[in-house]
Amino acid sequence: MKRVITYGTFDLLHYGHINLLRRAKALGDYLIVALSTDEFNSVQKGKKCYFNYEQRKELLESVRYVDLVIPETCWEQKATDMKEYHIDTFVIGEDWKGKFDYLKDLGVEVVYLPRTPEISTTQIKEDLDSSRH
Ligand code: C2G
């Protein structure tokens, strides 16, 4: 049983997120998503979410590729997560390329996947905002 993990905010869930989750699951048998909590988003990531943690969690749990959703409360939890959840592969979009290579020292495969072009939560918000004016 190959166990894969990825991390993110996943606000306003869109096909770019789904493309990431589908490719992440294809790298193993079991996919865990560490979902950024509302506090982590606002304090550490400077992100204001449209959906709160519970709503984002419910959406992710409805995605066929996702087997478990756990909270991401800080940047530093990744190393302990790898051990606690017996992770084989860490996956994230290549906008983070190189940032998590230290996890290789724990025997974890680190994979950066190409992002889906032209879609982002920020873009969705901007498009909706401009269509109102
Ligand atoms: N993503 C993608 N293509 C897009 C948009 C997002 O592949 N068009 C990917 C991102 O690269 C990331 C995942 O979808 O791997 C979730 O995106 P975000 O919610 O923006 O995640 P982020 O804020 O980058 O959080 O500790 C790591 C952070 O929590 C990552």
Side-chain angles (χ1 to χ4, degrees), residues 20 23 37 46 56 60 66 86 95 99 102 109-111 113 122 124 132:
L20 187 285
R23 288 175 292 162
T37 60
R56 290 181 286 117
L60 279 174
V66 176
H86 311 290
D95 41 320
K99 296 289 191 303
Y102 65 89
E109 180 191 16
V110 176
V111 177
L113 293 174
T122 309
I124 293 169
R132 261 200 297 273

Side-chain angles (χ1 to χ4, degrees), residues 66-83:
V66 176
D67 295 292
L68 176 68
V69 178
I70 62 171
E72 178 186 30
T73 59
C74 65
W75 295 111
E76 300 78 16
Q77 72 181 71
K78 293 184 177 67
T80 45
D81 287 349
M82 300 305 138
K83 296 178 197 120

Side-chain angles (χ1 to χ4, degrees), residues 7-10 14 16-17 20 23 36 45 47 72 75 78 92-93 95-96 115-116 119:
Y7 294 71
T9 298
F10 294 97
H14 55 68
H17 296 137
L20 187 285
R23 288 175 292 162
S36 308
K45 297 173 85 173
K47 285 190 171 187
E72 178 186 30
W75 295 111
K78 293 184 177 67
I92 200 158
D95 41 320
W96 293 91
R115 284 171 64 96
T116 302
I119 182 78

